[in-house]
Short mmCIF file of all heavy atoms in Angstrom, two decimals:
data_model
loop_
_atom_site.label_atom_id
_atom_site.label_comp_id
_atom_site.label_asym_id
_atom_site.label_seq_id
_atom_site.Cartn_x
_atom_site.Cartn_y
_atom_site.Cartn_z
N THR A 171 -20.81 -6.61 26.36
CA THR A 171 -20.10 -6.03 27.43
C THR A 171 -19.94 -4.48 27.41
O THR A 171 -20.07 -3.84 28.49
CB THR A 171 -18.74 -6.73 27.37
OG1 THR A 171 -18.96 -8.14 27.46
CG2 THR A 171 -17.93 -6.28 28.71
N VAL A 172 -19.76 -4.00 26.23
CA VAL A 172 -19.70 -2.58 26.16
C VAL A 172 -21.01 -1.97 26.48
O VAL A 172 -21.03 -0.99 27.27
CB VAL A 172 -19.32 -2.14 24.66
CG1 VAL A 172 -19.53 -0.63 24.51
CG2 VAL A 172 -17.96 -2.56 24.35
N MET A 173 -22.06 -2.45 25.97
CA MET A 173 -23.41 -1.99 26.32
C MET A 173 -23.71 -2.12 27.84
O MET A 173 -24.24 -1.13 28.43
CB MET A 173 -24.51 -2.67 25.60
CG MET A 173 -24.33 -2.47 24.02
SD MET A 173 -25.36 -3.57 23.04
CE MET A 173 -27.00 -3.27 23.48
N SER A 174 -23.35 -3.21 28.47
CA SER A 174 -23.53 -3.33 29.91
C SER A 174 -22.75 -2.34 30.66
O SER A 174 -23.20 -1.72 31.62
CB SER A 174 -23.17 -4.75 30.18
OG SER A 174 -23.15 -4.94 31.61
N ARG A 175 -21.45 -2.11 30.25
CA ARG A 175 -20.62 -1.20 31.01
C ARG A 175 -21.16 0.24 30.85
O ARG A 175 -21.01 1.00 31.85
CB ARG A 175 -19.11 -1.30 30.52
CG ARG A 175 -18.38 -2.57 30.91
CD ARG A 175 -17.02 -2.63 30.49
NE ARG A 175 -16.44 -3.88 30.87
CZ ARG A 175 -15.19 -4.22 30.45
NH1 ARG A 175 -14.41 -3.40 29.79
NH2 ARG A 175 -14.71 -5.31 30.77
N VAL A 176 -21.59 0.61 29.74
CA VAL A 176 -22.08 1.93 29.50
C VAL A 176 -23.36 2.07 30.39
O VAL A 176 -23.47 3.16 31.10
CB VAL A 176 -22.43 2.19 28.08
CG1 VAL A 176 -23.18 3.51 27.96
CG2 VAL A 176 -21.15 2.37 27.23
N ALA A 177 -24.24 1.09 30.39
CA ALA A 177 -25.49 1.22 31.27
C ALA A 177 -25.07 1.26 32.75
O ALA A 177 -25.60 2.15 33.41
CB ALA A 177 -26.31 0.07 31.01
N ARG A 178 -24.16 0.51 33.17
CA ARG A 178 -23.77 0.53 34.57
C ARG A 178 -23.03 1.91 34.86
O ARG A 178 -23.22 2.49 36.05
CB ARG A 178 -22.83 -0.67 34.93
CG ARG A 178 -23.60 -1.89 34.88
CD ARG A 178 -22.72 -3.10 35.33
NE ARG A 178 -23.58 -4.22 35.38
CZ ARG A 178 -23.06 -5.54 35.13
NH1 ARG A 178 -21.83 -5.68 34.80
NH2 ARG A 178 -23.84 -6.56 35.16
N ALA A 179 -22.26 2.38 33.91
CA ALA A 179 -21.63 3.64 34.18
C ALA A 179 -22.61 4.75 34.41
O ALA A 179 -22.43 5.61 35.31
CB ALA A 179 -20.63 3.98 33.16
N ARG A 180 -23.55 4.78 33.54
CA ARG A 180 -24.60 5.75 33.64
C ARG A 180 -25.45 5.63 34.92
O ARG A 180 -25.75 6.65 35.57
CB ARG A 180 -25.53 5.70 32.41
CG ARG A 180 -24.98 6.15 31.15
CD ARG A 180 -25.77 5.96 29.94
NE ARG A 180 -25.26 6.51 28.77
CZ ARG A 180 -25.60 6.14 27.51
NH1 ARG A 180 -26.61 5.35 27.35
NH2 ARG A 180 -25.14 6.72 26.45
N ASP A 181 -25.65 4.37 35.32
CA ASP A 181 -26.41 4.21 36.55
C ASP A 181 -25.58 4.68 37.74
O ASP A 181 -26.05 5.36 38.65
CB ASP A 181 -26.73 2.78 36.75
CG ASP A 181 -27.88 2.28 35.85
OD1 ASP A 181 -28.59 3.06 35.26
OD2 ASP A 181 -28.03 1.07 35.73
N GLN A 182 -24.32 4.40 37.76
CA GLN A 182 -23.45 4.86 38.90
C GLN A 182 -23.38 6.38 38.86
O GLN A 182 -23.32 7.09 39.94
CB GLN A 182 -22.06 4.24 38.69
CG GLN A 182 -22.04 2.76 39.13
CD GLN A 182 -20.68 2.19 39.19
OE1 GLN A 182 -19.61 2.94 39.11
NE2 GLN A 182 -20.52 0.89 39.31
N LEU A 183 -23.30 6.95 37.72
CA LEU A 183 -23.22 8.49 37.63
C LEU A 183 -24.49 9.04 38.21
O LEU A 183 -24.52 10.09 38.88
CB LEU A 183 -22.98 8.94 36.19
CG LEU A 183 -21.62 8.67 35.73
CD1 LEU A 183 -21.45 9.16 34.23
CD2 LEU A 183 -20.53 9.45 36.55
N ALA A 184 -25.69 8.46 37.76
CA ALA A 184 -26.94 8.96 38.20
C ALA A 184 -27.03 8.77 39.78
O ALA A 184 -27.49 9.69 40.49
CB ALA A 184 -28.10 8.23 37.61
N ALA A 185 -26.60 7.64 40.29
CA ALA A 185 -26.52 7.41 41.74
C ALA A 185 -25.62 8.44 42.41
O ALA A 185 -25.98 8.86 43.55
CB ALA A 185 -26.27 6.01 42.00
N TYR A 186 -24.49 8.64 41.87
CA TYR A 186 -23.57 9.60 42.40
C TYR A 186 -24.20 10.92 42.66
O TYR A 186 -24.04 11.53 43.67
CB TYR A 186 -22.31 9.72 41.52
CG TYR A 186 -21.22 10.51 42.10
CD1 TYR A 186 -20.19 9.92 42.80
CD2 TYR A 186 -21.13 11.82 41.81
CE1 TYR A 186 -19.15 10.62 43.24
CE2 TYR A 186 -20.09 12.64 42.36
CZ TYR A 186 -19.05 11.97 43.01
OH TYR A 186 -18.07 12.68 43.52
N GLY A 187 -24.91 11.36 41.66
CA GLY A 187 -25.48 12.72 41.73
C GLY A 187 -26.75 12.69 42.71
O GLY A 187 -26.88 13.72 43.41
#
Side-chain angles (χ1 to χ4, degrees):
T171 303
V172 170
M173 294 166 64
S174 174
R175 287 181 184 178
V176 169
R178 288 184 179 150
R180 288 176 176 161
D181 287 347
Q182 285 185 12
L183 289 176
Y186 184 94

